[in-house]
């Protein structure tokens, strides 16, 4: 998301009943509330006038109609009504009428959860979500999180949680149902393309560390920096990583923002500025009226720390929001090549206003644009060099709740046959039929991995097979290999 955070003001300067949030006024470019570390938004610290330029005429016919309906329901409905419910319903109705998945009215714990996402770590599964149609979909799983380890992917649709349909749920409600204490489990029903499956995840504390760095083993002049989110320490972590990699011999860098759902906007701008010449545009924010606000590279952003070595940036469909701001800035203002697959495409901006201590609402107020003025919303950034993982990386997850054996027929068996072939076991014709050849491949796989040689695709075998596939995907990183190739040729 893109959050706009306003610096604290004196309480006496803002009337209590008209006050917008003092400690947190936000711009958000994604609707989701993190159920991992709660700062996977893009936070922009600026000041906003707490009064809008256009005030509602409370004597207008429209406002009078709202008041009349409220009074009629309060006084004449055949059962006693709850004043708070009526008011909340009216506000929700107005917000919902915008037909905007990123505008939402929040009350009670939903509102406090949004506030809590500004700092600290959270216990959950490590995935960012957003409302899409009647359901909620995953924007990106976080590196090292339960969601990532179990194979959840961008664009997976969550259709049920612990057996309860999520149809019509908001992103906020979905988030609250998924979050929970470390060590507890949650079962999600996932729709991926035309297939549906269940997956049980064990919640964990998602680490706050946002940067991982190393020297490439085969090419010691290439430094690799993975940025998993843009949170408060990320600028310092990236700066420290670059200094350390330089000392270890790095002469060029690969910056990996794949599966990075966003973060604090200032951090994205500060890090982008490291790689962009002073005075060059980093991004633009355009409200409904007026000229865009332009953010440029300079010492005020990066503190004078610059990176002039050759650089490549890795992106994929899980790179969203602040990640796209970062990638677009380097691509368009520093001629850095993007390698991978098209990014998510998150280009709108929301503002969150506090109505009282227990309620607030967020509403789309602007677009953010790339340095050349492009709006990538729903389109994403197209890489200069397309590089995909092998085909088996895009297979649907197979639930381990069922055992498959000789003579069974299922689309799930077809997926598992493909995985067996990917790990070096020949299942015969890949058609979903559990043949004798497939059984032989299963036995060979079980033997190689110290499993009971039942010849059946049981829970332990399916789990191990998908673990091996995940490892194989990591070991066959086409985009990374292409970046190394470009930097060392």
């Amino acid at each position: 998301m893109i959050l706009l955070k306003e610096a604290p003001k004196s309480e006496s300067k803002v009337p209590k009943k008209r006050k917008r949030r003092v400690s947190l006024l936000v711009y958000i470019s994604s609707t989701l509330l993190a159920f991992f570390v709660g700062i996977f938004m893009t936070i922009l610290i600026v000041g906003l006038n707490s009064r809008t330029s256009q005030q509602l005429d409370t004597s207008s016919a429209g406002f009078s109609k709202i008041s009349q309906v409220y009074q009629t329901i309060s006084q004449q409905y055949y059962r006693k009504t709850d004043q708070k419910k009526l008011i909340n319903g009216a506000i929700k109705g107005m917000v919902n009428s915008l037909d905007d998945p990123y505008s939402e009215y929040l009350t009670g714990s939903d509102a406090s959860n949004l506030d809590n996402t500004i700092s600290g770590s959270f216990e959950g599964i490590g995935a960012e979500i957003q409302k899409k149609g009647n359901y909620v979909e995953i924007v990106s799983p976080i590196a090292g999180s339960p969601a990532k380890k179990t194979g959840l992917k961008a664009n997976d649709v969550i259709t049920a949680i612990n057996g309860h349909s999520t149809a019509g749920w908001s992103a906020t409600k979905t988030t609250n149902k998924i979050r929970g204490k470390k060590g507890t489990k949650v079962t999600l029903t996932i729709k991926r393309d035309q297939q549906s499956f269940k997956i049980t995840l064990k919640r964990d504390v998602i680490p706050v560390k946002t940067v991982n760095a190393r020297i490439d083993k085969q090419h010691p002049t290439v430094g690799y920096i993975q940025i998993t989110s843009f949170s408060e320490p990320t600028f310092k972590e990236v700066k420290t990583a670059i200094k350390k990699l330089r000392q270890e011999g790095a002469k060029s860098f690969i910056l990996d923002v794949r599966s990075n759902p966003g973060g604090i906007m200032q951090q994205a701008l500060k890090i982008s500025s490291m790689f962009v010449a002073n005075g060059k545009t980093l991004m633009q924010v355009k409200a409904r009226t007026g000229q865009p606000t332009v953010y440029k590279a300079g010492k005020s952003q990066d503190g004078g720390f610059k990176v002039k070595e050759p650089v490549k940036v890795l992106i994929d469909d899980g790179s969203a929001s602040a990640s796209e701001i970062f990638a677009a800035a380097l691509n368009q203002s520093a001629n850095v090549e993007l390698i991978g697959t098209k990014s998510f495409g998150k280009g709108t901006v929301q503002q969150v206003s506090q109505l009282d201590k227990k309620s607030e609402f967020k509403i789309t107020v602007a677009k953010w644009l790339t340095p050349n003025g492009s709006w990538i919303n729903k389109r994403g950034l197209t890489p200069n060099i397309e590089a995909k993982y092998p085909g088996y990386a895009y297979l649907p997850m197979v639930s381990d709740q069922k055992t498959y054996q000789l003579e069974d027929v299922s689309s799930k068996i077809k997926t598992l046959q493909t995985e067996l072939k990917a790990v070096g076991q020949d299942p015969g014709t890949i058609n979903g039929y559990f043949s004798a050849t497939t059984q032989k491949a299963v036995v060979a796989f079980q033997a190689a991995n110290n499993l009971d040689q039942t010849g059946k695709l049981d829970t332990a075998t399916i789990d191990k097979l998908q673990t091996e596939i995940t490892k194989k995907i990591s070991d066959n990183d086409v985009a990374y290999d292409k970046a190394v190739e470009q930097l060392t040729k």
Side-chain angles (χ1 to χ4, degrees):
M1 307 185 222
I2 297 185
L3 282 184
L4 175 60
K5 183 179 179 184
E6 186 180 59
K9 296 178 181 178
S10 168
E11 289 290 330
S12 62
K13 294 182 180 179
V14 186
K16 289 186 177 180
K17 292 185 179 180
R18 297 294 301 279
K19 182 181 68 175
R20 285 188 178 179
R21 179 182 307 162
V22 173
S23 62
L24 176 66
L25 195 58
V26 288
Y27 269 5
I28 313 171
S29 77
S30 175
T31 186
L32 74 315
L33 303 175
F35 30 102
F36 35 90
V37 180
I39 34 186
F40 297 135
M41 310 156 251
T42 310
I43 303 177
L44 170 60
I45 302 176
V46 299
L48 283 184
N49 192 318
S50 65
R51 296 176 180 269
T52 58
S53 59
Q54 295 181 339
Q55 298 293 332
L56 175 66
D57 181 1
T58 57
S59 64
S60 68
F63 194 87
S64 177
K65 188 185 296 184
I66 295 173
S67 177
Q68 183 179 349
V69 171
Y70 172 78
Q71 294 296 334
T72 300
I73 292 174
S74 297
Q75 298 171 12
Q76 299 182 26
Y77 187 62
Y78 81 103
R79 290 188 300 189
K80 186 177 180 180
T81 59
D82 185 304
Q83 180 184 31
K84 290 183 178 179
K85 285 186 177 180
L86 290 178
I87 293 173
N88 287 342
I91 297 173
K92 287 180 179 179
M94 284 190 286
V95 175
N96 290 342
S97 72
L98 299 174
D99 194 24
D100 176 10
Y102 310 126
S103 296
E104 190 173 12
Y105 175 57
L106 307 172
T107 58
S109 62
D110 292 345
S112 61
N113 282 340
L114 178 58
D115 293 344
N116 289 339
T117 61
I118 297 305
S119 61
S121 61
F122 284 78
E123 295 174 327
I125 68 168
E128 182 175 4
I129 62 172
Q130 72 162 8
K131 182 75 172 177
K132 185 174 183 179
N134 201 36
Y135 290 95
V136 168
E137 73 173 9
I138 291 176
V139 174
S140 181
I142 305 304
S145 69
K148 186 70 174 179
K149 290 177 180 178
T150 52
L152 290 179
K153 300 178 183 295
N155 302 314
D156 281 348
V157 178
I158 302 171
T159 59
I161 299 173
N162 292 331
H164 299 286
S165 172
T166 59
W169 287 13
S170 66
T172 302
K173 182 175 181 179
T174 303
T175 295
N176 290 339
K177 294 294 184 181
I178 293 176
R179 286 175 63 175
K181 292 184 178 180
K182 175 183 177 181
T184 60
K185 295 181 179 180
V186 60
T187 298
L188 308 183
T189 302
I190 299 294
K191 183 178 180 182
R192 181 179 297 167
D193 297 325
Q194 301 304 312
Q195 297 198 42
S196 182
F197 58 91
K198 291 183 179 180
I199 184 168
T200 299
L201 304 95
K202 183 182 289 187
R203 299 179 177 102
D204 201 353
V205 175
I206 311 304
V208 176
K209 184 180 178 182
T210 62
V211 174
N212 299 301
R214 58 175 169 79
I215 290 288
D216 184 86
K217 293 180 180 178
Q218 303 300 320
H219 302 87
T221 62
V222 177
Y224 170 77
I225 300 173
Q226 178 192 41
I227 306 173
T228 60
S229 71
F230 292 91
S231 62
E232 292 182 1
T234 307
F235 172 77
K236 291 182 179 179
E237 289 180 3
V238 171
K239 184 176 178 180
T240 298
I242 290 172
K243 288 181 176 180
K244 185 173 184 295
L245 292 174
R246 281 172 172 168
Q247 291 175 352
E248 295 176 2
K251 303 298 182 184
S252 60
F253 299 101
I254 297 171
L255 299 167
D256 189 351
V257 292
R258 292 175 297 179
S259 295
N260 180 329
I264 301 175
M265 184 173 170
Q266 277 87 349
Q267 295 293 314
L269 292 174
K270 290 170 71 174
I271 297 167
S272 299
S273 185
M274 292 181 183
F275 303 89
V276 176
N278 290 345
K280 292 276 191 177
T281 298
L282 299 175
M283 70 170 292
Q284 306 177 50
V285 174
K286 190 178 190 313
R288 183 170 64 183
T289 60
Q291 295 298 311
T293 300
V294 179
Y295 297 87
K296 296 186 177 183
K299 190 173 182 178
S300 61
Q301 296 284 1
D302 54 45
F305 183 81
K306 291 293 186 180
V307 179
K308 297 184 179 180
E309 292 93 338
V311 169
K312 304 294 178 184
V313 174
L314 307 184
I315 61 171
D316 66 4
D317 59 359
S319 304
S321 191
S323 303
E324 294 173 300
I325 291 171
F326 170 76
L330 269 64
N331 180 237
Q332 296 181 10
S333 292
N335 297 315
V336 170
E337 286 185 318
L338 305 181
I339 300 175
T341 57
K342 186 175 291 187
S343 66
F344 184 81
K346 179 56 58 186
T348 58
V349 177
Q350 282 78 38
Q351 173 182 296
V352 173
S353 297
Q354 186 169 337
L355 302 177
D356 55 37
K357 291 182 178 180
K358 295 184 178 180
S359 64
E360 56 202 22
F361 76 99
K362 59 182 188 297
I363 181 174
T364 301
V365 295
K367 305 173 180 179
W368 73 261
L369 310 175
T370 65
N372 67 14
S374 298
W375 190 38
I376 65 165
N377 197 54
K378 296 182 180 180
R379 295 188 294 119
L381 295 167
T382 300
N384 302 96
I385 301 174
E386 186 176 48
K388 297 182 178 180
Y389 282 108
Y392 54 76
Y394 302 96
L395 292 171
M397 289 288 294
V398 176
S399 172
D400 60 4
Q401 303 301 309
K402 185 176 179 179
T403 295
Y404 302 96
Q405 56 190 342
L406 191 64
E407 304 295 334
D408 283 350
V409 178
S410 169
S411 61
K412 306 292 194 303
I413 294 174
K414 184 176 181 179
T415 297
L416 295 168
Q417 287 173 326
T418 305
E419 293 181 349
L420 282 167
K421 187 171 183 178
V423 297
Q425 304 296 342
D426 183 9
T429 304
I430 298 176
N431 56 6
Y433 171 63
F434 202 124
S435 65
T437 306
T438 298
Q439 184 183 53
K440 184 178 178 180
V442 171
V443 170
F445 176 78
Q446 291 171 332
N449 289 278
N450 299 315
L451 299 171
D452 291 339
Q453 296 173 41
T454 63
K456 298 177 182 180
L457 285 164
D458 51 25
T459 296
T461 305
I462 292 173
D463 282 349
K464 184 61 177 178
L465 180 55
Q466 295 187 149
T467 297
E468 290 301 304
I469 283 293
T470 300
K471 182 177 183 299
K472 191 171 180 64
I473 292 169
S474 178
D475 293 340
N476 290 273
D477 191 339
V478 179
Y480 176 82
D481 291 343
K482 181 62 69 173
V484 172
E485 177 188 326
Q486 293 293 310
L487 290 170
T488 56
K489 66 179 182 180

